[in-house]
Amino acid sequence: MFRSFLYWSSSVIVSMINMILSLFGYLFHGSYKIPSPRESPSNQLQKLMMNRARFRLLHLDYVAIREVLNSLDPIDYINFSRASKSCKTLSTMKKSYKVCLTIKTCPMLKIGNGVINYAVLWTKEKKEDKTRMLRTWPNEARECVFEYSENPLGAMKEFYMHARSLMGIDIDCVVLFMDDFGEQFREIVYWLNSTFREIPAIRVYGKNQQQINVQYILDNVKYKDSLKLYVKTVEMLPPEIPDTIKELRIGYGSWITLDYLMSLKMCKFALLDTYLTNEDINFFFKSWMQMKSHNNLERFEVNLTNPEDFVAIGLRDIPYEMGPTTSAPFLL
Ligand SMILES: *[C@@H]1O[C@H](CO)[C@@H](O)[C@H](O)[C@H]1NC(C)=O
Ligand SMILES: *[C@@H]1O[C@H](CO)[C@@H](O)[C@H](O)[C@H]1NC(C)=O
Ligand SMILES: *[C@@H]1O[C@H](CO)[C@@H](O)[C@H](O)[C@H]1NC(C)=O
């Protein structure tokens, strides 16, 4: 009987696990009373059913339970282990997953192998609770589930901290939407700073933010490899960014000068919304080709302010080949 369960579709296994989950919750948290004759028949029936299910459950082989746990997606697995101390004791599988936290009004925890991912989004909207959706991109499929919470950010942090203690998973990226938090962003930065020794990649979004607040994030969140900054600041000044990162993407680069471009050391950078001229770009290309600068550069992306003249001026005295056109304005 149990064997045939195992070979059903994974959704069946998941719903079975939900059943086991609630039973475990009941068994280890609830106090069980023998139905008294004064109780209503439906109550009695319910308790009898509990009792019968309990009987079956406790007779499951440990190996079989582990087999089911092993087939769960990471979110259900983490959730199962949260049901009670005993569930946590059963959940001893270590797997490596990539985890990404998105900090916005509806915070999201995404976990998976990068291609097939699972996500929980915490929402204050009760009507969205437990809704599911599948989102797909050319290189990613993501199964999302919404979870109601009065305190979405707190719920996300708690879920992540539990998952980390359970599976030793670390963090891959953090995405922060500054506009959703006002002054509370300092508290978030404090949490990120004290929780993560190092974050491989961060991405920050915002509109009309103060430069000092953006810099506060950059100074206090320990990002290591990649920074994508899509923040429009009131002052439009260059932020201070360590040279040691590998990848930089600036979404609002109206402040970017030729000097700034020449000073960059990363192996990949993208500068969007800049006022760099075709002459500036020509100067940069030549310097790079003559190996006078940008020795590590592998990839460069920029918005063109004057596309018509780009070939004549931007590529003057530079041998080039046209690659396939991409949706990005210009790509090398
Ligand atoms: C975790 O399990 C509880 C209890 O079954 C359920 O209410 C909740 O929706 C689950 N959460 C997720 C994210 O699956
Ligand atoms: C971030 O952590 C470092 C130590 O790792 C500490 O010196 C710094 O004050 C912290 N910043 C904040 C905002 O907590
Ligand atoms: C620059 O590129 C970005 C992203 O591709 C695009 O959204 C924006 O409109 C472009 N800006 C200009 C001035 O071309």
Side-chain angles (χ1 to χ4, degrees):
M1 167 73 177
F2 187 69
R3 210 157 248 284
S4 64
F5 260 131
L6 273 186
Y7 293 107
W8 283 359
S9 75
S10 61
S11 66
V12 172
I13 291 177
V14 170
S15 52
M16 186 176 75
I17 254 319
N18 278 341
M19 181 189 83
I20 292 179
L21 188 65
S22 44
L23 287 170
F24 265 110
Y26 177 80
L27 286 174
F28 296 110
H29 287 312
S31 57
Y32 191 76
K33 279 187 295 180
I34 303 208
S36 76
R38 252 179 291 154
E39 271 178 311
S40 73
S42 72
N43 257 354
Q44 283 191 35
L45 185 65
Q46 215 175 357
K47 290 194 171 168
L48 270 172
M49 280 175 70
M50 284 288 193
N51 206 15
R52 203 174 56 185
R54 175 186 176 188
F55 175 81
R56 269 181 50 202
L57 187 67
L58 292 182
H59 280 72
L60 284 185
D61 194 61
Y62 176 62
V63 176
I65 292 177
R66 280 188 60 92
E67 193 78 14
V68 176
L69 290 183
N70 206 17
S71 72
L72 291 183
D73 75 47
I75 300 284
D76 282 335
Y77 181 74
I78 295 164
N79 205 15
F80 171 82
S81 75
R82 270 155 54 96
S84 74
K85 269 212 171 93
S86 308
C87 292
K88 189 163 183 187
T89 311
L90 277 170
S91 313
T92 53
M93 270 165 297
K94 298 269 183 245
K95 288 188 186 174
S96 66
Y97 287 112
K98 291 178 185 294
V99 176
C100 193
L101 300 179
T102 301
I103 301 176
K104 54 180 179 172
T105 306
C106 248
M108 174 175 81
L109 176 144
K110 187 179 86 168
I111 182 167
N113 62 12
V115 180
I116 299 174
N117 295 310
Y118 302 87
V120 190
L121 289 103
W122 285 270
T123 171
K124 277 190 166 172
E125 298 292 331
K126 260 202 174 109
K127 63 178 191 305
E128 286 173 358
D129 192 33
K130 309 278 188 281
T131 54
R132 285 182 179 267
M133 79 192 168
L134 182 69
R135 304 190 60 192
T136 55
W137 293 265
N139 47 9
E140 190 197 335
R142 188 188 303 167
E143 197 182 311
C144 306
V145 58
F146 284 85
E147 189 73 0
Y148 165 75
S149 170
E150 270 302 315
N151 174 8
L153 189 58
M156 186 205 72
K157 289 182 191 170
E158 195 194 300
F159 194 89
Y160 171 75
M161 294 313 270
H162 176 84
R164 182 159 95 168
S165 75
L166 184 71
M167 305 200 275
I169 49 172
D170 222 322
I171 190 80
D172 267 289
C173 67
V174 169
V175 183
L176 174 60
F177 286 78
M178 290 181 77
D179 295 350
D180 291 7
F181 296 100
E183 275 302 302
Q184 202 202 342
F185 84 94
R186 285 175 197 274
E187 204 181 290
I188 293 165
V189 168
Y190 180 82
W191 182 73
L192 292 171
N193 187 34
S194 53
T195 308
F196 303 108
R197 203 159 37 87
E198 214 166 63
I199 303 172
I202 68 166
R203 203 154 81 218
V204 188
Y205 290 89
K207 290 245 159 71
N208 291 317
Q209 290 290 336
Q210 306 271 315
Q211 192 82 25
I212 189 173
N213 292 348
V214 177
Q215 194 60 49
Y216 183 81
I217 295 175
L218 299 181
D219 289 344
N220 290 292
V221 177
K222 296 160 220 138
Y223 58 99
K224 183 167 154 270
D225 296 328
S226 165
L227 169 66
K228 296 184 179 171
L229 202 55
Y230 296 96
V231 185
K232 213 173 201 169
T233 59
V234 180
E235 299 87 344
M236 290 286 184
L237 292 171
E240 271 174 48
I241 295 165
D243 277 344
T244 47
I245 61 170
K246 300 192 181 91
E247 184 180 12
L248 173 68
R249 193 172 185 94
I250 302 280
Y252 298 98
S254 63
W255 46 268
I256 291 174
T257 59
L258 178 59
D259 279 350
Y260 186 85
L261 169 61
M262 296 310 290
S263 73
L264 292 175
K265 305 267 189 299
M266 298 88 192
C267 46
K268 290 180 192 167
F269 51 81
L271 310 173
L272 306 178
D273 245 355
T274 75
Y275 290 106
L276 291 171
T277 63
N278 288 332
E279 282 86 357
D280 292 339
I281 295 172
N282 186 260
F283 183 88
F284 155 76
F285 278 157
K286 285 185 178 156
S287 166
W288 176 25
M289 285 169 60
Q290 292 162 11
M291 293 192 282
K292 288 188 194 152
S293 63
H294 304 96
N295 293 333
N296 301 322
L297 186 62
E298 291 166 12
R299 182 190 164 116
F300 167 65
E301 202 180 314
V302 70
N303 273 66
L304 297 179
T305 37
N306 191 348
E308 302 78 43
D309 285 351
F310 178 67
V311 171
I313 298 173
L315 295 178
R316 183 164 37 213
D317 304 327
I318 293 174
Y320 70 92
E321 245 175 69
M322 284 293 232
T325 322
T326 67
S327 56
F330 187 71
L331 203 61
L332 252 184

